[in-house]
Amino acid sequence: MKVICAGFSHTGTKSIAEALRILGYSKVHDFLEHSAIDGTYWTRIFDGRGSIDDFREMYKDVDAVADVPASIFWEEILEAFPDSKVILTMRDSEEVWFKSFAAYITHIRRTLFWERYMSIGFFLFRLFMPSYHSYFYNVCTAGYGYLLGNPNNELLLRNYYRRHNRNVLRGCPPRQLLIFNVKEGWEPLCKFLGKDVPENAPFPTKNKKDDSFVVNFFRGQCENDGGMREKMKKELYNRVTIAFSIFVIPIFVIISMTLGLL
């Protein structure tokens, strides 16, 4: 583990993850990789059975991490890998962050029809993909309480953002910390990491409202998902097959026997 991106969600976490890949960090675990690749470890951690050794094992061959849940556990990861550098991505202000975050979540809900069918969608998600439902529920609870269902709860969202940033600023050794706004581009990032500024490569801008990685993921257009989409499809297929076997086949047999077809 070389780089821990401790920035709160929607502070440029997707952009910084892509920037690290461009700079040569080949194994960068972002939001989807945490579940698709590291899900077993995170389940143990969320269940209260985790330890620092889990982080050492989970990230022993990983170059960098970004976004939740890793950003929430940045202190534990730093304890496991004390020589790592920490990047705290921040927006221009707390107000800018809140407006951007709230607008983004609202956009996702409306784009994926969650605004109208959210309760049905979560029920089906829990029924047919229980392991992923449990994981994402734990991630959202750890990162934002229960706020994703109500992105307009301004006071609580601001409080989460403020407390997280203050915790990083107070707890991380200054010599290992870079406070970074993605608007600053390559120069401060490369200087902090001891890397050359990439030639003819503009600093990446990922996960904007009109290019949401969540929407792209469900549409099968996500570049880096760690195999998450295929694993979710497999679990969905298995659950649907089980449901079909339990409910549809017995009903078919009963009807056939009633009609004398069997």
Side-chain angles (χ1 to χ4, degrees), residues 236-255:
L236 175 61
Y237 175 80
N238 290 338
R239 286 281 167 171
V240 169
T241 301
I242 292 172
F244 182 84
S245 301
I246 293 175
F247 296 107
V248 178
I249 293 179
I251 292 173
F252 173 78
V253 172
I254 292 171
I255 293 174

Side-chain angles (χ1 to χ4, degrees), residues 26-208:
S26 58
K27 290 188 178 181
V28 180
H29 283 199
D30 199 356
F31 181 80
L32 293 175
E33 287 89 350
H34 294 318
S35 174
I37 301 173
D38 310 318
T40 301
Y41 292 100
W42 282 114
T43 297
R44 183 159 59 246
I45 291 168
F46 286 131
D47 287 345
R49 298 178 287 114
S51 68
I52 297 299
D53 288 335
D54 285 302
F55 291 102
R56 292 192 182 99
E57 180 66 22
M58 176 166 45
Y59 293 137
K60 62 182 180 181
D61 297 319
V62 176
D63 295 322
V65 292
D67 211 342
V68 290
S71 58
I72 304 300
F73 289 87
W74 70 271
E75 289 174 287
E76 288 77 7
I77 300 173
L78 183 60
E79 182 179 346
F81 302 95
D83 295 328
S84 300
K85 294 186 176 182
V86 179
I87 300 173
L88 176 62
T89 47
M90 298 179 68
R91 300 297 292 260
D92 294 341
S93 68
E94 183 180 307
E95 181 177 2
V96 169
W97 172 82
F98 166 73
K99 290 182 178 179
S100 175
F101 184 83
Y104 181 78
I105 297 299
T106 300
H107 169 73
I108 291 174
R109 290 169 58 180
R110 289 175 177 171
T111 303
L112 297 177
F113 303 103
W114 289 353
E115 199 72 47
R116 180 175 299 178
Y117 305 111
M118 182 176 291
S119 59
I120 298 175
F122 277 121
F123 171 77
L124 294 175
F125 186 34
R126 184 174 186 177
L127 179 64
F128 290 109
M129 287 184 282
S131 63
Y132 290 104
H133 174 274
S134 176
Y135 173 80
F136 288 123
Y137 176 85
N138 284 325
V139 169
C140 292
T141 301
Y144 324 101
Y146 300 93
L147 297 177
L148 288 188
N150 181 15
N152 298 314
N153 194 328
E154 182 171 354
L155 288 178
L156 283 175
L157 278 167
R158 283 174 175 263
N159 183 267
Y160 271 82
Y161 178 73
R162 190 185 313 121
R163 282 191 298 166
H164 177 80
N165 291 341
R166 185 166 57 232
N167 180 43
V168 178
L169 291 171
R170 290 178 177 178
C172 184
R175 62 182 178 81
Q176 291 175 256
L177 176 64
L178 172 67
I179 302 170
F180 182 64
N181 188 319
V182 293
K183 289 183 178 180
E184 298 176 76
W186 289 115
E187 289 290 345
L189 178 64
C190 291
K191 181 179 179 180
F192 177 68
L193 297 175
K195 299 283 188 176
D196 294 329
V197 174
E199 296 183 5
N200 303 318
F203 195 88
T205 53
K206 296 289 185 178
N207 203 29
K208 290 186 175 182

